[in-house]
Amino acid sequence: MVSNLQIKDLQNARDFLLSVVAGAHRGRLFLMMSKLTDQQWTWVYGQAKVHRLLPQLHNAIAETPGSKVPEFVRSGSHNAFKQQALATLVDQKTINEIANLFDRAQIPYCALKGIPLTLRSYPHAALRPLRDIDVLVPRDRAVEAFKILQSNGCQTVPGYDRKNLSRSHQMPVLLAPSGVAIEVHFSVAPYERPGSTGLAEKLLSNAESFEVGGYPVRVANPTDNFVHLVLHAGPHHLFDNGPLTLSDLRALLASGELDWDKLEVELRALRLYPTFCLLLAMLIRFGGLPTSFSKPEFMVDKFLVEQAADLMTQQPEVAWQRDLLRRHPDFLERLLNGFGRALKPSAQDLINASGTAKDGAALWLVYPKWLFAKARGYLAASRKSDLDIAAANDTVLLDWIEGKPQQSQEPCSSPGIQADESVA
């Protein structure tokens, strides 16, 4: 896999991939495709595979007939689209079963993020692959909901059936009999954020019924889901949860179902308006929204847009390294935290490493592979390198979206990026 640290050589490839997920016009995509080299196509395909974008890449290729695309990209993305179309049926069957169980127990619930997006916002459900199914329940019913799923065949990964709930926002990951991962949430963020409790309550109270397989499933209201996606992308993950965020927001914007007055009030109350403006600036930058959509408050420094774009398209292992550098700039702290995280992978980490979610017990067989990869990642992150510069710039971005006073020092320079430019 080509490293993102060579982004100067891969700028066209990165911009193309983000233009695909932003929903850019086919003419723009056709022109960008014609300029990609074989190395850039390899990077695009690898990134699309890592970030669940192969179905969207297939869709972009299909809508630009005559485009010059390597056969492995064309056939690989097409196969991924067909496989995802089948996987979507499994996801829908699983959420249908969850809804039935919770309704019988009279547990209020709301399907978050991906499920409502696939059901009502995307033109085809296969364009929005799910990593897992997220279901929000009241905090005082979370343990009960978790046990109901367990009693109906869902299993935890061995060793991860306990979790310090006072410091989390969800129960341990469960694996359904279908192999789908399920996350039972009782909050919308892993930390107390002004208004986050209120947002969780609104998601539950404003949830709307949507029929899935002949049964009404409670899903997040489009406006509430939009707010949650902004929170999840910015303050929660600092944009390292992948480019699907741009696609999700673009789909909601195109749906015509957003309550704009309510949206602005909620974003400002949660201190998410800067993140919102940055994401809109990214959609404009990569062709998903016309420049006429811009308003004065959407003007965002180009440096921030490029930094967020870099975070969205990095490899998961590099994301972990940069997060380690941001949180623990001191070498000793980095050492202790690195070993701690290497020795305690999450359930989803083991699922990702194994390539399957069907046999919870078998996941521990990949632990040595996980430990080796983490140790290698730690060593890479501990060395002084371009990662230090990237992590320092990440901190500038984080301070900006949180509205903290900017430090006197300028952001570290990156090739091809001018820190004094803005995009609308």
Side-chain angles (χ1 to χ4, degrees):
M1 180 63 67
V2 182
S3 170
N4 271 34
L5 296 179
Q6 299 169 325
I7 195 64
K8 184 177 181 181
D9 298 325
L10 294 171
Q11 190 80 35
N12 289 343
R14 188 207 67 178
D15 289 357
F16 166 68
L17 185 62
L18 292 179
S19 294
V20 168
V21 296
H25 188 270
R26 66 182 65 178
R28 174 187 175 121
L29 296 179
F30 183 89
L31 182 62
M32 298 179 84
M33 286 182 193
S34 68
K35 297 179 179 180
L36 294 181
T37 65
D38 289 344
Q39 183 199 39
Q40 290 170 333
W41 271 116
T42 300
W43 183 90
V44 167
Y45 186 82
Q47 288 289 313
K49 186 175 182 179
V50 167
H51 293 295
R52 297 173 286 153
L53 303 175
L54 284 177
Q56 291 199 39
L57 182 59
H58 159 73
N59 191 57
I61 293 171
E63 291 187 348
T64 52
S67 54
K68 184 180 178 181
V69 181
E71 180 55 32
F72 80 93
V73 176
R74 190 181 296 275
S75 61
S77 61
H78 184 213
N79 289 336
F81 179 85
K82 291 189 293 184
Q83 291 169 7
Q84 186 55 44
L86 295 176
T88 294
L89 299 177
V90 178
D91 293 334
Q92 293 181 2
K93 179 177 182 294
T94 303
I95 189 60
N96 183 305
E97 293 169 347
I98 294 171
N100 269 277
L101 291 172
F102 288 178
D103 281 344
R104 282 198 297 245
Q106 297 184 334
I107 298 177
Y109 73 92
C110 170
L112 302 173
K113 297 184 294 186
I115 283 292
L117 287 164
T118 60
L119 292 176
R120 62 190 297 178
S121 301
Y122 277 80
H124 194 296
L127 295 174
R128 211 307 185 166
L130 303 182
R131 179 178 285 118
D132 49 47
I133 291 178
D134 300 289
V135 183
L136 176 69
V137 299
R139 183 181 293 269
D140 60 357
R141 305 292 298 275
V143 173
E144 179 187 357
F146 184 81
K147 290 181 177 179
I148 286 174
L149 293 176
Q150 281 186 305
S151 65
N152 283 273
C154 296
Q155 298 181 346
T156 58
V157 176
Y160 284 82
D161 54 356
R162 293 181 176 84
K163 195 164 189 172
N164 187 345
L165 301 185
S166 65
R167 299 171 58 187
S168 182
H169 65 303
Q170 67 184 60
M171 302 295 293
V173 177
L174 287 169
L175 301 179
S178 61
V180 176
I182 303 170
E183 293 186 354
V184 177
H185 293 251
F186 47 84
S187 182
V188 293
Y191 49 84
E192 284 303 319
R193 183 180 184 83
S196 61
T197 300
L199 176 58
E201 293 172 351
K202 288 173 183 175
L203 280 161
L204 287 168
S205 63
N206 296 337
E208 300 175 352
S209 292
F210 198 92
E211 191 169 291
V212 180
Y215 189 84
V217 174
R218 302 280 290 172
V219 301
N221 169 285
T223 302
D224 293 336
N225 205 26
F226 192 102
V227 174
H228 184 211
L229 288 168
V230 173
L231 171 63
H232 192 254
H236 190 166
H237 281 285
L238 194 60
F239 307 103
D240 65 10
N241 59 326
L244 264 178
T245 296
L246 293 182
S247 180
D248 291 346
L249 298 185
R250 178 67 178 84
L252 285 169
L253 288 167
S255 71
E257 295 185 302
L258 296 178
D259 182 335
W260 280 92
D261 291 335
K262 176 185 174 183
L263 181 64
E264 181 170 351
V265 170
E266 293 294 332
L267 290 169
R268 292 190 184 279
L270 284 165
R271 301 205 317 262
L272 294 173
Y273 207 71
T275 304
F276 168 65
C277 291
L278 175 55
L279 289 166
L280 286 183
M282 293 184 74
L283 284 170
I284 294 171
R285 159 75 171 83
F286 296 108
L289 291 174
T291 54
S292 59
F293 192 87
S294 178
K295 296 180 180 179
E297 61 264 37
F298 296 161
M299 298 292 291
V300 178
D301 193 290
K302 183 179 178 181
F303 166 81
L304 300 173
V305 173
E306 296 298 324
Q307 192 68 15
D310 182 38
L311 283 159
M312 280 186 177
T313 53
Q314 62 188 328
Q315 287 293 306
E317 192 59 36
V318 176
W320 176 79
Q321 293 171 26
R322 282 169 71 161
D323 180 65
L324 181 65
L325 288 167
R326 287 196 304 269
R327 296 176 184 272
H328 305 281
D330 177 75
F331 179 82
L332 181 58
E333 284 187 5
R334 196 181 302 171
L335 176 67
L336 295 174
N337 186 265
F339 277 124
R341 291 185 65 172
L343 293 171
K344 295 175 63 176
S346 69
Q348 191 62 48
D349 288 332
L350 291 178
I351 291 170
N352 293 340
S354 70
T356 180
K358 295 184 180 301
D359 188 348
L363 291 178
W364 280 100
L365 297 177
V366 302
Y367 180 76
K369 175 183 175 182
W370 164 264
L371 185 61
F372 175 78
K374 281 300 177 187
R376 184 176 59 184
Y378 161 72
L379 291 175
S382 296
R383 293 191 294 266
K384 276 287 184 181
S385 67
D386 288 344
L387 279 176
D388 293 278
I389 297 176
N393 289 338
D394 293 346
T395 301
V396 174
L397 174 61
L398 179 60
D399 288 346
W400 183 85
I401 65 173
E402 292 287 13
K404 294 181 181 178
Q406 296 299 297
Q407 301 296 319
S408 58
Q409 65 267 26
E410 292 296 318
C412 301
S413 298
S414 299
I417 298 175
Q418 299 298 319
D420 60 349
E421 293 185 61
S422 296
V423 296

